[in-house]
Structures are given as C-alpha cells and as structure tokens.
PDB file of all heavy atoms in Angstrom:
ATOM      1  N   CYS A 210      43.598 135.590 100.772  1.00  0.00           N
ATOM      2  CA  CYS A 210      44.251 136.776 101.304  1.00  0.00           C
ATOM      3  C   CYS A 210      44.931 136.389 102.600  1.00  0.00           C
ATOM      4  O   CYS A 210      44.678 135.339 103.161  1.00  0.00           O
ATOM      5  CB  CYS A 210      43.254 137.928 101.517  1.00  0.00           C
ATOM      6  SG  CYS A 210      41.848 137.522 102.533  1.00  0.00           S
ATOM      7  N   LEU A 211      45.820 137.235 103.088  1.00  0.00           N
ATOM      8  CA  LEU A 211      46.634 136.893 104.233  1.00  0.00           C
ATOM      9  C   LEU A 211      46.177 137.659 105.461  1.00  0.00           C
ATOM     10  O   LEU A 211      46.067 138.878 105.435  1.00  0.00           O
ATOM     11  CB  LEU A 211      48.110 137.214 103.949  1.00  0.00           C
ATOM     12  CG  LEU A 211      48.743 136.438 102.789  1.00  0.00           C
ATOM     13  CD1 LEU A 211      50.155 136.952 102.546  1.00  0.00           C
ATOM     14  CD2 LEU A 211      48.765 134.942 103.081  1.00  0.00           C
ATOM     15  N   VAL A 212      45.907 136.937 106.552  1.00  0.00           N
ATOM     16  CA  VAL A 212      45.520 137.590 107.791  1.00  0.00           C
ATOM     17  C   VAL A 212      46.760 138.182 108.454  1.00  0.00           C
ATOM     18  O   VAL A 212      47.861 137.665 108.308  1.00  0.00           O
ATOM     19  CB  VAL A 212      44.831 136.585 108.744  1.00  0.00           C
ATOM     20  CG1 VAL A 212      45.840 135.620 109.333  1.00  0.00           C
ATOM     21  CG2 VAL A 212      44.089 137.304 109.855  1.00  0.00           C
ATOM     22  N   ASN A 213      46.566 139.297 109.136  1.00  0.00           N
ATOM     23  CA  ASN A 213      47.640 139.917 109.900  1.00  0.00           C
ATOM     24  C   ASN A 213      47.897 139.064 111.139  1.00  0.00           C
ATOM     25  O   ASN A 213      47.030 138.936 111.998  1.00  0.00           O
ATOM     26  CB  ASN A 213      47.208 141.337 110.306  1.00  0.00           C
ATOM     27  CG  ASN A 213      48.212 142.006 111.211  1.00  0.00           C
ATOM     28  OD1 ASN A 213      49.274 141.473 111.486  1.00  0.00           O
ATOM     29  ND2 ASN A 213      47.849 143.185 111.682  1.00  0.00           N
ATOM     30  N   SER A 214      49.080 138.485 111.236  1.00  0.00           N
ATOM     31  CA  SER A 214      49.371 137.581 112.344  1.00  0.00           C
ATOM     32  C   SER A 214      49.359 138.288 113.692  1.00  0.00           C
ATOM     33  O   SER A 214      49.361 137.644 114.734  1.00  0.00           O
ATOM     34  CB  SER A 214      50.733 136.914 112.136  1.00  0.00           C
ATOM     35  OG  SER A 214      51.759 137.891 112.101  1.00  0.00           O
ATOM     36  N   MET A 215      49.348 139.631 113.679  1.00  0.00           N
ATOM     37  CA  MET A 215      49.332 140.380 114.927  1.00  0.00           C
ATOM     38  C   MET A 215      47.910 140.577 115.450  1.00  0.00           C
ATOM     39  O   MET A 215      47.739 141.131 116.531  1.00  0.00           O
ATOM     40  CB  MET A 215      50.003 141.738 114.729  1.00  0.00           C
ATOM     41  CG  MET A 215      51.480 141.650 114.387  1.00  0.00           C
ATOM     42  SD  MET A 215      52.432 140.765 115.646  1.00  0.00           S
ATOM     43  CE  MET A 215      52.296 141.935 116.994  1.00  0.00           C
ATOM     44  N   ASN A 216      46.895 140.173 114.699  1.00  0.00           N
ATOM     45  CA  ASN A 216      45.519 140.334 115.170  1.00  0.00           C
ATOM     46  C   ASN A 216      45.360 139.639 116.518  1.00  0.00           C
ATOM     47  O   ASN A 216      45.550 138.428 116.634  1.00  0.00           O
ATOM     48  CB  ASN A 216      44.523 139.752 114.161  1.00  0.00           C
ATOM     49  CG  ASN A 216      44.378 140.620 112.928  1.00  0.00           C
ATOM     50  OD1 ASN A 216      44.616 140.169 111.827  1.00  0.00           O
ATOM     51  ND2 ASN A 216      43.993 141.869 113.115  1.00  0.00           N
ATOM     52  N   LYS A 217      45.009 140.407 117.510  1.00  0.00           N
ATOM     53  CA  LYS A 217      44.940 139.865 118.864  1.00  0.00           C
ATOM     54  C   LYS A 217      43.529 139.863 119.425  1.00  0.00           C
ATOM     55  O   LYS A 217      43.203 139.065 120.291  1.00  0.00           O
ATOM     56  CB  LYS A 217      45.862 140.659 119.791  1.00  0.00           C
ATOM     57  CG  LYS A 217      45.983 140.063 121.181  1.00  0.00           C
ATOM     58  CD  LYS A 217      47.016 140.782 122.011  1.00  0.00           C
ATOM     59  CE  LYS A 217      47.159 140.114 123.383  1.00  0.00           C
ATOM     60  NZ  LYS A 217      48.177 140.788 124.227  1.00  0.00           N
ATOM     61  N   TYR A 218      42.677 140.755 118.925  1.00  0.00           N
ATOM     62  CA  TYR A 218      41.338 140.908 119.487  1.00  0.00           C
ATOM     63  C   TYR A 218      40.344 140.223 118.567  1.00  0.00           C
ATOM     64  O   TYR A 218      40.207 140.591 117.396  1.00  0.00           O
ATOM     65  CB  TYR A 218      41.013 142.387 119.683  1.00  0.00           C
ATOM     66  CG  TYR A 218      42.167 143.123 120.324  1.00  0.00           C
ATOM     67  CD1 TYR A 218      42.862 144.109 119.632  1.00  0.00           C
ATOM     68  CD2 TYR A 218      42.589 142.790 121.601  1.00  0.00           C
ATOM     69  CE1 TYR A 218      43.944 144.757 120.200  1.00  0.00           C
ATOM     70  CE2 TYR A 218      43.677 143.429 122.184  1.00  0.00           C
ATOM     71  CZ  TYR A 218      44.348 144.407 121.479  1.00  0.00           C
ATOM     72  OH  TYR A 218      45.432 145.026 122.038  1.00  0.00           O
ATOM     73  N   ILE A 219      39.664 139.219 119.090  1.00  0.00           N
ATOM     74  CA  ILE A 219      38.761 138.410 118.281  1.00  0.00           C
ATOM     75  C   ILE A 219      37.334 138.652 118.765  1.00  0.00           C
ATOM     76  O   ILE A 219      36.988 138.334 119.903  1.00  0.00           O
ATOM     77  CB  ILE A 219      39.102 136.904 118.398  1.00  0.00           C
ATOM     78  CG1 ILE A 219      40.611 136.669 118.220  1.00  0.00           C
ATOM     79  CG2 ILE A 219      38.293 136.112 117.383  1.00  0.00           C
ATOM     80  CD1 ILE A 219      41.167 137.145 116.895  1.00  0.00           C
ATOM     81  N   PHE A 220      36.517 139.255 117.889  1.00  0.00           N
ATOM     82  CA  PHE A 220      35.118 139.510 118.188  1.00  0.00           C
ATOM     83  C   PHE A 220      34.282 138.454 117.477  1.00  0.00           C
ATOM     84  O   PHE A 220      34.405 138.282 116.259  1.00  0.00           O
ATOM     85  CB  PHE A 220      34.690 140.902 117.706  1.00  0.00           C
ATOM     86  CG  PHE A 220      35.404 142.049 118.369  1.00  0.00           C
ATOM     87  CD1 PHE A 220      35.234 143.344 117.888  1.00  0.00           C
ATOM     88  CD2 PHE A 220      36.239 141.865 119.477  1.00  0.00           C
ATOM     89  CE1 PHE A 220      35.874 144.427 118.487  1.00  0.00           C
ATOM     90  CE2 PHE A 220      36.890 142.936 120.082  1.00  0.00           C
ATOM     91  CZ  PHE A 220      36.701 144.219 119.581  1.00  0.00           C
ATOM     92  N   LEU A 221      33.446 137.746 118.218  1.00  0.00           N
ATOM     93  CA  LEU A 221      32.633 136.677 117.638  1.00  0.00           C
ATOM     94  C   LEU A 221      31.155 136.944 117.835  1.00  0.00           C
ATOM     95  O   LEU A 221      30.701 137.274 118.949  1.00  0.00           O
ATOM     96  CB  LEU A 221      32.969 135.330 118.285  1.00  0.00           C
ATOM     97  CG  LEU A 221      34.400 134.822 118.140  1.00  0.00           C
ATOM     98  CD1 LEU A 221      35.132 134.941 119.478  1.00  0.00           C
ATOM     99  CD2 LEU A 221      34.439 133.398 117.643  1.00  0.00           C
ATOM    100  N   ASP A 222      30.404 136.803 116.756  1.00  0.00           N
ATOM    101  CA  ASP A 222      28.955 136.770 116.867  1.00  0.00           C
ATOM    102  C   ASP A 222      28.577 135.528 117.667  1.00  0.00           C
ATOM    103  O   ASP A 222      29.383 134.591 117.803  1.00  0.00           O
ATOM    104  CB  ASP A 222      28.348 136.731 115.454  1.00  0.00           C
ATOM    105  CG  ASP A 222      26.833 136.765 115.470  1.00  0.00           C
ATOM    106  OD1 ASP A 222      26.264 137.540 116.265  1.00  0.00           O
ATOM    107  OD2 ASP A 222      26.217 136.017 114.689  1.00  0.00           O
ATOM    108  N   LEU A 223      27.367 135.491 118.189  1.00  0.00           N
ATOM    109  CA  LEU A 223      26.939 134.350 119.014  1.00  0.00           C
ATOM    110  C   LEU A 223      26.091 133.358 118.214  1.00  0.00           C
ATOM    111  O   LEU A 223      26.522 132.243 117.926  1.00  0.00           O
ATOM    112  CB  LEU A 223      26.172 134.850 120.235  1.00  0.00           C
ATOM    113  CG  LEU A 223      25.698 133.793 121.225  1.00  0.00           C
ATOM    114  CD1 LEU A 223      26.878 133.019 121.813  1.00  0.00           C
ATOM    115  CD2 LEU A 223      24.874 134.437 122.348  1.00  0.00           C
ATOM    116  N   ASP A 224      24.897 133.790 117.821  1.00  0.00           N
ATOM    117  CA  ASP A 224      23.983 132.910 117.088  1.00  0.00           C
ATOM    118  C   ASP A 224      24.532 132.610 115.700  1.00  0.00           C
ATOM    119  O   ASP A 224      24.822 133.527 114.928  1.00  0.00           O
ATOM    120  CB  ASP A 224      22.597 133.555 116.949  1.00  0.00           C
ATOM    121  CG  ASP A 224      21.945 133.823 118.296  1.00  0.00           C
ATOM    122  OD1 ASP A 224      22.317 133.155 119.270  1.00  0.00           O
ATOM    123  OD2 ASP A 224      21.066 134.703 118.362  1.00  0.00           O
ATOM    124  N   GLY A 225      24.675 131.331 115.379  1.00  0.00           N
ATOM    125  CA  GLY A 225      25.142 130.962 114.050  1.00  0.00           C
ATOM    126  C   GLY A 225      26.651 130.997 113.891  1.00  0.00           C
ATOM    127  O   GLY A 225      27.164 130.681 112.822  1.00  0.00           O
ATOM    128  N   THR A 226      27.359 131.365 114.954  1.00  0.00           N
ATOM    129  CA  THR A 226      28.821 131.396 114.923  1.00  0.00           C
ATOM    130  C   THR A 226      29.400 130.545 116.048  1.00  0.00           C
ATOM    131  O   THR A 226      30.295 129.742 115.827  1.00  0.00           O
ATOM    132  CB  THR A 226      29.339 132.837 115.037  1.00  0.00           C
ATOM    133  OG1 THR A 226      28.810 133.614 113.954  1.00  0.00           O
ATOM    134  CG2 THR A 226      30.861 132.889 114.980  1.00  0.00           C
ATOM    135  N   ILE A 227      28.851 130.713 117.244  1.00  0.00           N
ATOM    136  CA  ILE A 227      29.248 129.878 118.379  1.00  0.00           C
ATOM    137  C   ILE A 227      28.173 128.829 118.660  1.00  0.00           C
ATOM    138  O   ILE A 227      28.488 127.657 118.891  1.00  0.00           O
ATOM    139  CB  ILE A 227      29.505 130.740 119.629  1.00  0.00           C
ATOM    140  CG1 ILE A 227      30.689 131.684 119.388  1.00  0.00           C
ATOM    141  CG2 ILE A 227      29.761 129.860 120.852  1.00  0.00           C
ATOM    142  CD1 ILE A 227      30.975 132.631 120.541  1.00  0.00           C
ATOM    143  N   THR A 228      26.910 129.257 118.625  1.00  0.00           N
ATOM    144  CA  THR A 228      25.808 128.337 118.952  1.00  0.00           C
ATOM    145  C   THR A 228      24.883 128.104 117.766  1.00  0.00           C
ATOM    146  O   THR A 228      24.658 128.997 116.950  1.00  0.00           O
ATOM    147  CB  THR A 228      24.964 128.881 120.121  1.00  0.00           C
ATOM    148  OG1 THR A 228      24.352 130.120 119.711  1.00  0.00           O
ATOM    149  CG2 THR A 228      25.806 129.111 121.353  1.00  0.00           C
ATOM    150  N   GLN A 229      24.342 126.899 117.714  1.00  0.00           N
ATOM    151  CA  GLN A 229      23.284 126.566 116.757  1.00  0.00           C
ATOM    152  C   GLN A 229      21.961 126.981 117.396  1.00  0.00           C
ATOM    153  O   GLN A 229      21.236 126.163 117.952  1.00  0.00           O
ATOM    154  CB  GLN A 229      23.291 125.066 116.462  1.00  0.00           C
ATOM    155  CG  GLN A 229      24.591 124.556 115.880  1.00  0.00           C
ATOM    156  CD  GLN A 229      24.567 123.064 115.659  1.00  0.00           C
ATOM    157  OE1 GLN A 229      23.800 122.553 114.828  1.00  0.00           O
ATOM    158  NE2 GLN A 229      25.394 122.347 116.413  1.00  0.00           N
ATOM    159  N   SER A 230      21.670 128.229 117.283  1.00  0.00           N
ATOM    160  CA  SER A 230      20.595 128.841 118.067  1.00  0.00           C
ATOM    161  C   SER A 230      19.217 128.684 117.457  1.00  0.00           C
ATOM    162  O   SER A 230      18.230 129.129 118.035  1.00  0.00           O
ATOM    163  CB  SER A 230      20.898 130.327 118.243  1.00  0.00           C
ATOM    164  OG  SER A 230      21.092 130.933 116.970  1.00  0.00           O
ATOM    165  N   GLU A 231      19.130 128.070 116.286  1.00  0.00           N
ATOM    166  CA  GLU A 231      17.856 128.033 115.569  1.00  0.00           C
ATOM    167  C   GLU A 231      16.736 127.388 116.364  1.00  0.00           C
ATOM    168  O   GLU A 231      15.571 127.803 116.263  1.00  0.00           O
ATOM    169  CB  GLU A 231      18.023 127.293 114.244  1.00  0.00           C
ATOM    170  CG  GLU A 231      18.427 125.843 114.389  1.00  0.00           C
ATOM    171  CD  GLU A 231      18.783 125.208 113.058  1.00  0.00           C
ATOM    172  OE1 GLU A 231      17.849 124.827 112.338  1.00  0.00           O
ATOM    173  OE2 GLU A 231      19.976 125.092 112.768  1.00  0.00           O
ATOM    174  N   PHE A 232      17.040 126.380 117.150  1.00  0.00           N
ATOM    175  CA  PHE A 232      15.995 125.616 117.824  1.00  0.00           C
ATOM    176  C   PHE A 232      15.237 126.474 118.835  1.00  0.00           C
ATOM    177  O   PHE A 232      14.008 126.562 118.803  1.00  0.00           O
ATOM    178  CB  PHE A 232      16.607 124.384 118.497  1.00  0.00           C
ATOM    179  CG  PHE A 232      17.476 123.589 117.573  1.00  0.00           C
ATOM    180  CD1 PHE A 232      18.861 123.610 117.696  1.00  0.00           C
ATOM    181  CD2 PHE A 232      16.916 122.845 116.541  1.00  0.00           C
ATOM    182  CE1 PHE A 232      19.669 122.889 116.830  1.00  0.00           C
ATOM    183  CE2 PHE A 232      17.724 122.119 115.669  1.00  0.00           C
ATOM    184  CZ  PHE A 232      19.097 122.148 115.809  1.00  0.00           C
ATOM    185  N   GLY A 233      15.968 127.123 119.723  1.00  0.00           N
ATOM    186  CA  GLY A 233      15.322 127.974 120.712  1.00  0.00           C
ATOM    187  C   GLY A 233      14.713 129.221 120.102  1.00  0.00           C
ATOM    188  O   GLY A 233      13.634 129.663 120.510  1.00  0.00           O
TER     189      GLY A 233
END
C-alpha cells in the first residue's frame, strides 16, 4: 500500500521499536 507522503507527525512506541528493552 502507499503511504501518504504528506505524513509529518511520527509517533513511535519505545520498547521494541526504539530500544531492545527486554534485558532491563
């Protein structure tokens, strides 16, 4: 599918998306 190129606001989860949080 095609993303809307105008998407400007990016919401990111933290654990498992930015950090490998499993250890702590």
Side-chain angles (χ1 to χ4, degrees):
C210 55
L211 298 175
V212 73
N213 175 5
S214 61
M215 296 302 292
N216 286 122
K217 187 174 183 179
Y218 314 114
I219 312 301
F220 297 171
L221 299 107
D222 183 42
L223 182 61
D224 299 337
T226 301
I227 296 177
T228 63
Q229 300 178 66
S230 55
E231 62 189 280
F232 310 107

